[in-house]
Amino acid sequence: MSAPAKASHALTSLVAGRRRIGLIAVIGLAGACLLVAIVAVGQGAISIPASRVADILVAKLTGNDTLLDGRDVLVVLNIRLPRVLLGLLVGAGLAVSGALMQGLFRNPLADPGLVGVSSGAGLAAAATIVLGDRFLTGTMMMKLPFAALPAGAFCGGLASTLALYLIATRGGRTSVATMLLAGVALGALAGALTGLLAFMSDDRQLRDLTFWSLGSLGGASWTKLSVVAPIILPLLLLMPLLARGLNGLMLGEAEAYHLGIPVQRIKALTILLVALAVGASVATAGLIGFVGIVVPHLIRLSIGPDHRLLLPLSALGGAMLLVGADIAARLIVAPAELPIGIVTATIGAPFFLWLLLRRTSLIDV
């Protein structure tokens, strides 16, 4: 066999091996995610055996109302199940958003917060909590922060992302470097304004603002789930369409353009989907950090930078991590509940520091 034929055979074997590893990883993470979800439905201040959880879910699916009676049914169907499903969606959305941002910036330390969604949502939420009592009266005031807060956070995240996109786009081209620097500046400005609102708040408003900023899945409901799912699911469904473009961008924008990849369209679609997914996540669960950094980078270290595998594995890993963190948040100080942002920060901050110490440059892929 000639040398070129041997090289071609070796390359084919390598690609096939990577695909097998990726398939095994997808199946393994999907199974682990399902197992964690089942455990999460049964664990909490009221512990429910897994067999009882399975009976309730099967009875609900089959319409057997004779088994749908008692406190366990109420806890599983109305409290735990929507909470777990919301955790799966939010975790998947944050992790995939992180993977998309890292691919767009060609930087493994990039985070969804770089596009201004989290800072803008936080500022809008703070304004809703602090100023809502002054400008909203009657029934609207009674609904704060449960109704106006998610809507305000979502709109604030989208507005900040739109402003950042307009700043970074000139002549029909979006500068990734300008977006990164402008994102830092807008984030600092939003943080300063949020601090000013916190200074203006009273004790109750400050408590609400602090609790929301730490993140929680405690307010999950079927209504919230029905609102969040149509926003995050398109991101997960469009992953295959973005994977090839992000793989091309790893070579550089000029090289990707000459390969026939619509660079500007990939940038705009990526930013829009990240803004929608992170905005919806922040609006319903508060500020939850480090999921978008930790999960994609661990996946990249394990299976490589190919976004065809990186994106779906990040979705599964993020969903599993957030639901697992929610289990810990419910059990550590039971029957009280620890904010989930504390748990994810405890996991993510040491990992982030390890990344900083491990890498000699923040711009290497």
Side-chain angles (χ1 to χ4, degrees), residues 94 97-121 157 159-168 174-190 270-272 274-275 278-279 282 287-290 292-293 352 362-363:
L94 291 176
S97 297
L100 291 176
M101 285 293 95
Q102 292 170 12
L104 182 64
F105 286 98
R106 300 190 296 278
N107 187 333
L109 300 183
D111 179 78
L114 290 177
V115 295
V117 185
S118 299
S119 57
S160 62
T161 304
L162 177 61
L164 183 62
Y165 182 77
L166 293 177
I167 292 172
T174 302
S175 171
V176 174
T178 301
M179 180 176 292
L180 175 62
L181 296 175
V184 173
L186 289 178
L189 178 61
T270 298
I271 294 168
L272 175 62
V274 169
V278 178
V282 171
L287 297 174
I288 300 176
F290 291 104
I293 294 181
F352 186 75
L362 300 182
I363 61 174

Side-chain angles (χ1 to χ4, degrees), residues 3 6 11 24 41-43 46 55 105 125 141 162 166 168 223 247 267 271 275-276 278 280 304 321 325 353:
K6 290 181 179 179
L11 180 61
I24 294 173
V41 174
Q43 294 299 317
I46 300 175
D55 291 340
F105 286 98
M141 185 176 68
L162 177 61
L166 293 177
T223 302
N247 283 344
K267 288 181 182 178
I271 294 168
L276 290 173
V278 178
L321 174 62
L353 292 175

Side-chain angles (χ1 to χ4, degrees), residues 129-146:
I129 293 173
V130 177
L131 303 179
D133 290 344
R134 303 183 183 184
F135 297 102
L136 298 177
T137 59
T139 57
M140 283 300 295
M141 185 176 68
M142 293 300 294
K143 294 180 179 179
L144 286 174
F146 303 107

Side-chain angles (χ1 to χ4, degrees), residues 192-214:
L193 294 176
T194 302
L196 177 61
L197 289 170
F199 178 78
M200 296 168 52
S201 63
D202 56 30
D203 291 341
R204 182 188 61 81
Q205 293 168 346
L206 184 59
R207 184 170 57 253
D208 291 340
L209 180 58
T210 302
F211 185 78
W212 182 86
S213 65
L214 293 176

